[in-house]
Amino acid sequence: EMNLRSIDKIVILKYSPSIDGFGPDKAIEHRSISYWIADSPKYADLRIELFAKECVSYIWIMTSTFSASPKYVSIYAIVSKVEKVYENVIHKRFLPQLKGERWHKLVLPPSFQAKYFKFVFEENYSDDKFISVRQIRLIRSKEESIRIVEEPDHVLLPEGPIIGDTKTITLSVRAHGWPEPTYQWYKNNKPILGETNPDLVLSLKCRPSTRKRTYRCVRCKMVSRDAPNNAYRVKCNNCAYIFTFKELQ
C-alpha cells in the first residue's frame, strides 16, 4: 500500500546554516532516496515540491542506527493560496533511534492538502557534522467522504408585503473531502447558472420580523425566544447547530 499510494516528488532542496541558499541534494551511499545535509549537526532543512497539490494522509520517515540520524522533526506546508507562507503541521516530533532501519509514521490532519512541504530536522545522535535521513515518503489519502464544515445559518421568509430597500446577504458553505469537492447552488431544485463558488450573494427585500417566536434546539434542547417570526432556518445560540423549523414539526 505504501508503494501504490506514495506520491512522486518533483524536486528536493536542502538547507543548513553553512549553505548559502538552497542547492540540489546529493545522495548518501549513492542512494537517490536518502538525504545527507553536511555541516549541520543541529539543524537541517529539506524542501519538497510535488507535481501537483495532493491530499496527504500521513508521512513515513525512515531513520537508522547511523549516528547522524536526527532526533526531532517538524513539518511545515504551504496551505493558504493567498499568503503562501509555511504553516506548522507537526511540531518537533521525537524520532527514537532503534536497531536497524526504522519507519516513523506521522499522521496529518484529515483532508490535508498541499504541494510544498518543509522538513526541519534537529540534532543528531553523535558528534558527526551532518544529519542524514534514509527515506521520506508522502502517502496519498484514500477517497474521503464529503464533510460539510460551514453552511448558511439564518434564512428568512417574507412576512406580508415585501417592502423596503434591497438588502445584500451572502450565503456560504464549505466542505472537506477528497477528491476536492465542487460547488453548485440551486434555486427551486434547479441549478443556478454560473454559481459554482462556495459563496452566493443575494439581493433581498426580506427583513427580520419584529415579532419573535420560541423554539427548542433539536440537538441541545436549549429553549430560545429571540428568533424572528419569519425565520425559516436558525442557528442555535447555545451549540451553534443549524436547523429549519420544519424539523420541529
Side-chain angles (χ1 to χ4, degrees):
E1 182 183 26
M2 184 187 299
N3 291 331
L4 290 175
R5 293 167 53 199
S6 183
I7 303 171
D8 292 333
K9 310 172 187 67
I10 189 173
V11 66
I12 298 175
L13 303 175
K14 69 178 182 179
Y15 171 82
S16 71
S18 64
I19 299 176
D20 184 14
F22 289 89
D25 205 355
K26 296 180 178 179
I28 182 172
E29 297 178 359
H30 306 289
R31 298 184 183 184
S32 60
I33 55 177
S34 300
Y35 313 110
W36 172 47
I37 302 95
D39 302 321
S40 57
K42 299 296 183 182
Y43 179 94
D45 181 339
L46 282 177
R47 307 288 177 99
I48 293 181
E49 178 184 350
L50 307 180
F51 282 92
K53 186 178 182 180
E54 293 276 3
C55 187
V56 183
S57 58
Y58 48 89
I59 295 173
W60 287 101
I61 297 178
M62 179 188 282
T63 59
S64 69
T65 53
F66 191 46
S67 58
S69 295
K71 287 185 179 181
Y72 305 97
V73 62
S74 297
I75 300 178
Y76 301 78
I78 296 179
V79 180
S80 173
K81 295 180 180 179
V82 180
E83 298 182 358
K84 294 184 178 181
V85 296
Y86 282 101
E87 299 179 17
N88 184 244
V89 181
I90 294 178
H91 178 68
K92 204 167 185 178
R93 185 69 56 84
F94 177 60
L95 304 176
Q97 186 184 34
L98 302 176
K99 292 183 178 180
E101 295 182 335
R102 164 71 186 269
W103 284 106
H104 304 273
K105 183 179 180 180
L106 307 177
V107 181
L108 298 181
S111 303
F112 181 82
Q113 301 175 37
K115 180 181 179 181
Y116 302 95
F117 289 84
K118 178 173 73 171
F119 293 77
V120 175
F121 298 99
E122 298 179 69
E123 303 182 34
N124 60 21
Y125 282 90
S126 70
D127 295 329
D128 292 332
K129 300 300 182 182
F130 56 91
I131 285 178
S132 70
V133 179
R134 291 294 186 183
Q135 294 189 48
I136 298 177
R137 292 193 181 185
L138 288 77
I139 306 303
R140 182 181 289 108
S141 297
K142 296 179 180 179
E143 184 174 334
E144 295 186 12
S145 301
I146 294 177
R147 298 180 296 107
I148 297 177
V149 295
E150 179 185 342
E151 57 181 318
D153 44 22
H154 286 72
V155 176
L156 304 173
L157 296 177
E159 184 182 43
I162 302 176
I163 58 175
D165 298 331
T166 300
K167 179 182 179 182
T168 299
I169 66 169
T170 300
L171 302 182
S172 300
V173 64
R174 298 289 187 279
H176 287 168
W178 185 257
E180 194 169 353
T182 58
Y183 299 88
Q184 174 63 64
W185 288 92
Y186 283 74
K187 180 180 180 181
N188 297 329
N189 295 324
K190 295 182 180 180
I192 304 175
L193 184 63
E195 295 296 345
T196 56
N197 295 315
D199 301 312
L200 176 65
V201 179
L202 300 175
S203 297
L204 302 176
K205 290 187 177 181
C206 186
R207 296 180 175 180
S209 172
T210 57
R211 296 185 296 168
K212 305 295 182 180
R213 63 187 299 185
T214 300
Y215 70 89
R216 182 188 298 272
C217 178
V218 297
R219 172 182 286 180
C220 70
K221 309 304 180 184
M222 179 69 69
V223 175
S224 177
R225 297 178 175 82
D226 60 354
N229 192 60
N230 60 336
Y232 168 75
R233 187 178 175 91
V234 172
K235 182 176 183 179
C236 177
N237 294 329
N238 181 53
C239 68
Y241 181 68
I242 299 173
F243 62 94
T244 67
F245 275 98
K246 286 185 178 180
E247 297 180 68
L248 301 180
Q249 299 174 358

